[in-house]
Amino acid sequence: MARREPGEPAYRRALVATYRSIGALDQSARWGAADPGSLDDRERRILRRRAASAASEKELRAYLVLPGALPPEVAEALPTRAEQLRRRGESAAEQLVLATYVIAVLFGAPAVAIGLGVTIVQAFLGLSTAHDAAQVTATIVLFGIAGLGLLLLIVSLLRGWWVRAVMLAIVVAAAAVVLGHADMTSTTPFA
């Protein structure tokens, strides 16, 4: 009933009393958010912590099932707009880091392992194509360094790690310069 009519104080008070009686203070704070004055100190602290961890006012209102504006006491605990943007940037950075590691494990590592294996076998057998396999493997490694370095550079910029970003930019630039000089038709790898 409280979800269908979230503005009805009687339903909210009944939920607060029920949750309080079973010791679920997070839920009693949630349903008592429309009237923070009716909450005890522990519930108010829980409510403030929940508000401080919210991604946005809209998300908090949806969690608290509040149809109107947030009460002033709850609205004060919301993070600032800059803090919300920083958190979103960190979340995006974390997802990008995860994607980088998945790409490296699924594609980069097997490609390098296969390239090294082929190069070693061909060199062991004395085949003239061993040199070509080594060039291809070196190129794959450089592409991996440039690509993963670029993704980690973006993560560093999102998190505000400027020194790390500069170092990664140098590595990515060096890999790009070496790749730019790669000549797969030559007997020397990077003429």
Side-chain angles (χ1 to χ4, degrees), residues 53-121:
S53 68
S56 67
E57 181 180 341
K58 180 180 177 184
E59 181 256 326
L60 181 61
R61 271 198 338 266
Y63 171 75
L64 297 175
V65 195
L66 287 174
L70 292 173
E73 183 178 331
V74 177
E76 289 173 2
L78 274 171
T80 63
R81 182 84 173 130
E83 178 66 18
Q84 291 174 13
L85 290 174
R86 187 190 65 76
R87 286 182 188 173
R88 276 190 232 132
E90 283 185 3
S91 175
E94 289 168 7
Q95 292 172 357
L96 197 54
V97 166
L98 179 62
T100 301
Y101 291 139
V102 168
I103 290 168
V105 169
L106 292 179
F107 300 111
V112 170
I114 290 169
L116 286 173
V118 168
T119 302
I120 291 169
V121 167

Coordinates of all heavy atoms in Angstrom, one line a residue, residues 53-121:
S53 N 25.6 8.8 0.2 CA 26.1 7.8 -0.7 C 25.3 7.8 -2.0 O 25.6 7.0 -2.9 CB 26.2 6.4 -0.1 OG 24.9 5.9 0.1
A54 N 24.2 8.6 -2.1 CA 23.3 8.5 -3.3 C 24.0 9.2 -4.5 O 24.8 10.1 -4.4 CB 22.1 9.3 -3.0
A55 N 23.7 8.6 -5.7 CA 24.3 9.1 -6.9 C 23.6 10.4 -7.3 O 24.3 11.3 -8.0 CB 24.2 8.1 -8.0
S56 N 22.4 10.6 -7.0 CA 21.6 11.8 -7.4 C 20.4 11.9 -6.5 O 20.0 11.0 -5.8 CB 21.2 11.7 -8.8 OG 20.2 10.7 -9.0
E57 N 19.8 13.1 -6.5 CA 18.6 13.3 -5.8 C 17.5 12.4 -6.3 O 16.7 11.8 -5.5 CB 18.1 14.8 -5.8 CG 16.9 15.1 -5.0 CD 16.5 16.5 -5.1 OE1 17.3 17.4 -5.4 OE2 15.3 16.8 -4.8
K58 N 17.4 12.3 -7.6 CA 16.4 11.4 -8.2 C 16.5 10.0 -7.7 O 15.5 9.3 -7.4 CB 16.5 11.5 -9.7 CG 15.5 10.7 -10.5 CD 15.6 10.8 -12.0 CE 14.7 9.9 -12.7 NZ 14.9 10.0 -14.1
E59 N 17.7 9.5 -7.7 CA 17.9 8.1 -7.3 C 17.6 7.9 -5.8 O 16.9 6.9 -5.4 CB 19.4 7.7 -7.5 CG 19.8 6.3 -7.1 CD 20.5 6.2 -5.8 OE1 21.3 7.1 -5.5 OE2 20.3 5.3 -5.1
L60 N 17.9 8.9 -5.0 CA 17.6 8.9 -3.5 C 16.0 8.9 -3.3 O 15.5 8.2 -2.6 CB 18.2 10.0 -2.8 CG 18.0 10.0 -1.3 CD1 18.5 8.7 -0.6 CD2 18.6 11.2 -0.6
R61 N 15.4 9.8 -4.1 CA 13.9 9.9 -4.0 C 13.3 8.6 -4.3 O 12.3 8.1 -3.7 CB 13.4 11.0 -4.8 CG 13.3 12.4 -4.1 CD 12.4 13.4 -4.8 NE 12.1 13.2 -6.2 CZ 12.8 13.8 -7.2 NH1 13.8 14.6 -6.9 NH2 12.4 13.6 -8.4
A62 N 13.8 7.9 -5.4 CA 13.2 6.6 -5.8 C 13.4 5.6 -4.7 O 12.5 4.8 -4.4 CB 13.9 6.2 -7.1
Y63 N 14.6 5.6 -4.1 CA 14.9 4.6 -3.0 C 14.0 4.8 -1.8 O 13.5 3.9 -1.2 CB 16.4 4.7 -2.6 CG 16.7 3.9 -1.4 CD1 16.7 2.5 -1.4 CD2 16.8 4.5 -0.1 CE1 17.0 1.7 -0.3 CE2 17.1 3.8 1.0 CZ 17.2 2.4 0.9 OH 17.4 1.7 2.1
L64 N 13.8 6.1 -1.5 CA 13.0 6.5 -0.3 C 11.5 6.4 -0.6 O 10.7 6.6 0.3 CB 13.4 7.8 0.2 CG 14.9 8.0 0.7 CD1 15.2 9.4 1.1 CD2 15.1 7.0 1.9
V65 N 11.2 6.3 -1.9 CA 9.8 6.3 -2.3 C 9.1 7.6 -1.9 O 8.0 7.6 -1.2 CB 9.0 5.0 -1.8 CG1 7.7 4.9 -2.6 CG2 9.8 3.8 -1.9
L66 N 9.7 8.7 -2.2 CA 9.2 10.0 -1.9 C 8.7 10.7 -3.2 O 9.5 10.9 -4.1 CB 10.3 10.9 -1.2 CG 10.6 10.5 0.2 CD1 11.8 11.4 0.7 CD2 9.4 10.7 1.1
P67 N 7.4 11.0 -3.3 CA 6.9 11.6 -4.5 C 7.3 13.0 -4.7 O 7.5 13.5 -5.8 CB 5.4 11.4 -4.4 CG 5.2 11.3 -2.9 CD 6.4 10.7 -2.3
G68 N 7.5 13.7 -3.6 CA 7.8 15.2 -3.7 C 9.3 15.5 -3.5 O 10.1 14.6 -3.6
A69 N 9.5 16.7 -3.0 CA 10.9 17.1 -2.7 C 11.4 16.4 -1.5 O 10.6 16.0 -0.6 CB 10.9 18.6 -2.5
L70 N 12.7 16.3 -1.4 CA 13.3 15.7 -0.2 C 13.1 16.7 1.0 O 13.2 17.9 0.8 CB 14.8 15.5 -0.4 CG 15.1 14.4 -1.4 CD1 16.6 14.4 -1.7 CD2 14.7 13.0 -0.9
P71 N 13.0 16.2 2.2 CA 13.0 17.1 3.4 C 14.4 17.7 3.5 O 15.4 17.1 3.1 CB 12.8 16.1 4.5 CG 12.1 14.9 3.9 CD 12.7 14.8 2.5
P72 N 14.4 19.0 4.0 CA 15.7 19.7 4.0 C 16.8 18.9 4.7 O 17.9 19.0 4.3 CB 15.3 21.0 4.8 CG 13.8 21.1 4.7 CD 13.3 19.8 4.5
E73 N 16.5 18.2 5.8 CA 17.5 17.5 6.5 C 18.2 16.4 5.7 O 19.4 16.2 5.7 CB 16.9 16.9 7.8 CG 17.9 16.1 8.7 CD 17.3 15.6 9.9 OE1 16.3 16.1 10.4 OE2 17.8 14.5 10.4
V74 N 17.4 15.8 4.8 CA 17.9 14.8 3.9 C 18.6 15.4 2.7 O 19.7 14.9 2.3 CB 16.7 13.9 3.4 CG1 17.2 12.8 2.5 CG2 16.0 13.2 4.6
A75 N 18.0 16.5 2.2 CA 18.7 17.1 1.0 C 20.0 17.7 1.4 O 20.9 17.7 0.5 CB 17.7 18.2 0.5
E76 N 20.2 18.1 2.6 CA 21.5 18.7 3.0 C 22.6 17.6 3.0 O 23.8 17.9 2.8 CB 21.5 19.2 4.5 CG 20.7 20.5 4.6 CD 20.5 20.9 6.0 OE1 21.0 20.2 6.9 OE2 19.8 21.9 6.2
A77 N 22.2 16.3 3.2 CA 23.2 15.3 3.3 C 23.6 14.8 1.9 O 24.6 14.0 1.7 CB 22.7 14.1 4.1
L78 N 22.9 15.2 0.8 CA 23.3 14.8 -0.5 C 24.6 15.3 -0.9 O 25.0 16.4 -0.5 CB 22.2 15.3 -1.5 CG 21.0 14.5 -1.8 CD1 20.0 15.3 -2.6 CD2 21.3 13.2 -2.4
P79 N 25.4 14.5 -1.7 CA 26.7 15.0 -2.1 C 26.5 16.1 -3.1 O 25.5 16.3 -3.7 CB 27.3 13.8 -2.8 CG 26.2 12.8 -3.1 CD 25.1 13.1 -2.1
T80 N 27.6 17.0 -3.1 CA 27.5 18.1 -4.0 C 27.5 17.6 -5.5 O 27.9 16.5 -5.8 CB 28.7 19.0 -3.8 OG1 29.9 18.3 -4.2 CG2 28.8 19.6 -2.4
R81 N 27.2 18.5 -6.4 CA 27.2 18.1 -7.8 C 28.6 17.7 -8.3 O 28.7 16.7 -9.0 CB 26.7 19.3 -8.6 CG 26.6 19.1 -10.1 CD 25.3 18.5 -10.4 NE 25.2 18.4 -11.9 CZ 24.8 17.3 -12.5 NH1 24.5 16.2 -11.8 NH2 24.7 17.3 -13.8
A82 N 29.6 18.4 -7.8 CA 31.0 18.0 -8.2 C 31.3 16.6 -7.6 O 31.9 15.8 -8.3 CB 31.9 19.1 -7.6
E83 N 30.9 16.3 -6.4 CA 31.1 15.0 -5.9 C 30.4 13.9 -6.7 O 30.9 12.8 -6.9 CB 30.7 14.9 -4.4 CG 30.9 13.6 -3.7 CD 32.3 13.2 -3.6 OE1 33.2 14.0 -3.7 OE2 32.5 12.0 -3.4
Q84 N 29.2 14.2 -7.1 CA 28.4 13.2 -7.9 C 29.1 13.0 -9.2 O 29.2 11.8 -9.6 CB 27.0 13.7 -8.1 CG 26.1 13.8 -6.9 CD 24.8 14.4 -7.2 OE1 24.4 14.6 -8.3 NE2 24.0 14.7 -6.1
L85 N 29.6 14.0 -9.8 CA 30.3 13.9 -11.1 C 31.6 13.1 -10.9 O 32.0 12.2 -11.7 CB 30.6 15.2 -11.7 CG 29.4 16.0 -12.3 CD1 29.8 17.4 -12.7 CD2 28.8 15.2 -13.4
R86 N 32.3 13.4 -9.8 CA 33.6 12.6 -9.5 C 33.3 11.1 -9.3 O 34.0 10.3 -9.8 CB 34.2 13.2 -8.2 CG 35.6 12.6 -8.0 CD 36.1 13.0 -6.6 NE 35.3 12.5 -5.5 CZ 35.3 11.2 -5.1 NH1 36.1 10.3 -5.7 NH2 34.6 10.8 -4.0
R87 N 32.2 10.8 -8.6 CA 31.8 9.4 -8.4 C 31.5 8.7 -9.7 O 31.9 7.6 -9.9 CB 30.6 9.3 -7.4 CG 31.0 9.6 -6.0 CD 29.8 9.4 -5.1 NE 30.0 9.9 -3.8 CZ 29.1 10.0 -2.9 NH1 27.8 9.6 -3.1 NH2 29.4 10.4 -1.6
R88 N 30.7 9.4 -10.6 CA 30.4 8.8 -11.9 C 31.7 8.6 -12.7 O 31.8 7.6 -13.4 CB 29.5 9.7 -12.6 CG 28.0 9.5 -12.2 CD 27.1 10.2 -13.2 NE 26.2 10.9 -12.3 CZ 25.8 12.2 -12.5 NH1 26.3 12.9 -13.5 NH2 25.0 12.8 -11.6
G89 N 32.6 9.6 -12.6 CA 33.9 9.4 -13.3 C 34.7 8.2 -12.8 O 35.3 7.4 -13.5
E90 N 34.7 8.0 -11.5 CA 35.4 6.9 -10.9 C 34.7 5.6 -11.3 O 35.4 4.6 -11.5 CB 35.4 7.0 -9.3 CG 36.5 8.0 -8.9 CD 36.6 8.0 -7.4 OE1 35.9 7.2 -6.7 OE2 37.4 8.8 -6.9
S91 N 33.4 5.6 -11.3 CA 32.7 4.4 -11.7 C 33.0 4.0 -13.2 O 33.2 2.9 -13.5 CB 31.2 4.6 -11.6 OG 30.4 3.5 -12.1
A92 N 33.0 5.0 -14.0 CA 33.4 4.8 -15.4 C 34.8 4.3 -15.5 O 35.1 3.4 -16.3 CB 33.2 6.1 -16.2
A93 N 35.7 4.9 -14.7 CA 37.1 4.5 -14.7 C 37.2 3.0 -14.3 O 38.0 2.3 -14.9 CB 37.9 5.4 -13.8
E94 N 36.5 2.6 -13.3 CA 36.6 1.2 -12.8 C 36.1 0.3 -13.9 O 36.7 -0.8 -14.1 CB 35.7 1.1 -11.5 CG 36.4 1.7 -10.3 CD 35.4 1.8 -9.1 OE1 34.3 1.2 -9.2 OE2 35.8 2.4 -8.1
Q95 N 35.0 0.6 -14.6 CA 34.5 -0.2 -15.7 C 35.5 -0.3 -16.8 O 35.7 -1.3 -17.4 CB 33.2 0.3 -16.2 CG 32.1 0.1 -15.1 CD 30.8 0.8 -15.5 OE1 30.7 1.5 -16.6 NE2 29.8 0.7 -14.7
L96 N 36.2 0.8 -17.1 CA 37.2 0.8 -18.1 C 38.4 0.0 -17.8 O 39.0 -0.7 -18.6 CB 37.6 2.3 -18.4 CG 38.3 2.5 -19.8 CD1 37.6 2.0 -20.9 CD2 38.6 4.0 -19.9
V97 N 38.8 0.0 -16.5 CA 39.9 -0.8 -16.0 C 39.6 -2.3 -16.2 O 40.4 -3.1 -16.7 CB 40.3 -0.5 -14.6 CG1 41.2 -1.5 -14.0 CG2 41.0 0.9 -14.5
L98 N 38.4 -2.6 -15.8 CA 37.9 -4.0 -15.9 C 37.9 -4.4 -17.4 O 38.4 -5.5 -17.7 CB 36.5 -4.2 -15.3 CG 35.9 -5.6 -15.4 CD1 36.8 -6.6 -14.6 CD2 34.5 -5.6 -14.9
A99 N 37.4 -3.6 -18.3 CA 37.4 -3.9 -19.7 C 38.8 -4.0 -20.2 O 39.1 -4.9 -21.1 CB 36.6 -2.8 -20.5
T100 N 39.7 -3.2 -19.8 CA 41.1 -3.3 -20.2 C 41.7 -4.6 -19.8 O 42.4 -5.3 -20.6 CB 41.9 -2.1 -19.6 OG1 41.3 -0.9 -20.0 CG2 43.4 -2.2 -20.0
Y101 N 41.5 -5.0 -18.6 CA 42.1 -6.3 -18.1 C 41.4 -7.5 -18.9 O 42.1 -8.4 -19.3 CB 41.9 -6.5 -16.6 CG 42.8 -5.5 -15.9 CD1 42.3 -4.9 -14.7 CD2 44.1 -5.3 -16.3 CE1 43.1 -4.1 -14.0 CE2 44.9 -4.4 -15.5 CZ 44.4 -3.8 -14.4 OH 45.2 -2.9 -13.7
V102 N 40.1 -7.4 -19.2 CA 39.5 -8.5 -19.9 C 40.0 -8.6 -21.3 O 40.4 -9.7 -21.8 CB 37.9 -8.3 -19.9 CG1 37.3 -9.2 -20.9 CG2 37.4 -8.5 -18.5
I103 N 40.2 -7.4 -22.0 CA 40.8 -7.4 -23.3 C 42.2 -8.0 -23.3 O 42.5 -8.8 -24.2 CB 40.7 -6.0 -23.9 CG1 39.3 -5.6 -24.2 CG2 41.6 -5.9 -25.2 CD1 39.1 -4.1 -24.5
A104 N 43.0 -7.6 -22.3 CA 44.4 -8.0 -22.3 C 44.4 -9.5 -22.1 O 45.2 -10.2 -22.7 CB 45.1 -7.3 -21.1
V105 N 43.6 -10.1 -21.2 CA 43.6 -11.5 -20.9 C 43.0 -12.3 -22.1 O 43.6 -13.4 -22.4 CB 42.8 -11.8 -19.6 CG1 42.6 -13.3 -19.4 CG2 43.6 -11.2 -18.4
L106 N 41.9 -11.9 -22.6 CA 41.3 -12.7 -23.7 C 42.0 -12.6 -25.0 O 41.9 -13.5 -25.8 CB 39.8 -12.2 -23.8 CG 38.9 -12.6 -22.7 CD1 37.5 -12.1 -22.9 CD2 38.9 -14.1 -22.4
F107 N 42.5 -11.4 -25.4 CA 43.1 -11.2 -26.7 C 44.6 -11.0 -26.7 O 45.3 -11.7 -27.5 CB 42.4 -10.0 -27.4 CG 41.0 -10.2 -27.5 CD1 40.1 -9.4 -26.8 CD2 40.4 -11.1 -28.4 CE1 38.7 -9.5 -26.9 CE2 39.1 -11.3 -28.5 CZ 38.2 -10.5 -27.8
G108 N 45.1 -10.1 -25.9 CA 46.5 -9.8 -25.9 C 47.4 -11.0 -25.5 O 48.3 -11.3 -26.2
A109 N 47.2 -11.5 -24.3 CA 48.0 -12.6 -23.8 C 48.1 -13.8 -24.8 O 49.2 -14.3 -25.1 CB 47.6 -13.0 -22.4
P110 N 46.9 -14.3 -25.2 CA 47.0 -15.5 -26.2 C 47.7 -15.1 -27.5 O 48.5 -15.9 -28.0 CB 45.5 -15.8 -26.4 CG 44.8 -15.3 -25.3 CD 45.5 -14.0 -24.8
A111 N 47.5 -13.9 -28.0 CA 48.1 -13.5 -29.3 C 49.7 -13.5 -29.1 O 50.4 -14.0 -30.0 CB 47.6 -12.2 -29.7
V112 N 50.1 -12.9 -28.0 CA 51.6 -12.9 -27.7 C 52.1 -14.3 -27.5 O 53.2 -14.6 -28.0 CB 51.9 -11.9 -26.6 CG1 53.3 -12.0 -26.1 CG2 51.5 -10.5 -26.9
A113 N 51.4 -15.1 -26.7 CA 51.9 -16.5 -26.5 C 52.0 -17.3 -27.8 O 52.9 -18.0 -28.0 CB 50.9 -17.1 -25.5
I114 N 51.0 -17.1 -28.6 CA 51.0 -17.9 -29.9 C 52.1 -17.4 -30.8 O 52.9 -18.1 -31.4 CB 49.6 -17.7 -30.6 CG1 48.5 -18.5 -29.9 CG2 49.7 -18.2 -32.1 CD1 47.1 -18.2 -30.3
G115 N 52.3 -16.0 -30.8 CA 53.4 -15.5 -31.6 C 54.7 -15.9 -31.2 O 55.6 -16.3 -32.0
L116 N 54.9 -15.9 -29.9 CA 56.2 -16.3 -29.3 C 56.4 -17.8 -29.6 O 57.5 -18.3 -30.0 CB 56.3 -16.1 -27.8 CG 56.5 -14.6 -27.4 CD1 56.4 -14.5 -25.9 CD2 57.8 -14.1 -27.9
G117 N 55.4 -18.6 -29.4 CA 55.5 -20.1 -29.7 C 55.8 -20.4 -31.1 O 56.7 -21.2 -31.4
V118 N 55.1 -19.7 -32.0 CA 55.4 -19.9 -33.5 C 56.9 -19.4 -33.8 O 57.6 -20.1 -34.5 CB 54.4 -19.1 -34.3 CG1 54.8 -19.1 -35.8 CG2 53.0 -19.7 -34.2
T119 N 57.3 -18.3 -33.3 CA 58.6 -17.8 -33.5 C 59.7 -18.8 -33.0 O 60.6 -19.1 -33.7 CB 58.8 -16.4 -32.8 OG1 57.8 -15.5 -33.3 CG2 60.2 -15.9 -33.1
I120 N 59.5 -19.3 -31.8 CA 60.5 -20.2 -31.2 C 60.5 -21.5 -32.0 O 61.6 -22.0 -32.3 CB 60.1 -20.5 -29.7 CG1 60.4 -19.2 -28.9 CG2 60.9 -21.6 -29.1 CD1 59.9 -19.2 -27.5
V121 N 59.4 -22.1 -32.4 CA 59.3 -23.3 -33.1 C 60.0 -23.1 -34.5 O 60.8 -24.0 -34.9 CB 57.9 -23.8 -33.3 CG1 57.8 -24.9 -34.3 CG2 57.3 -24.3 -31.9

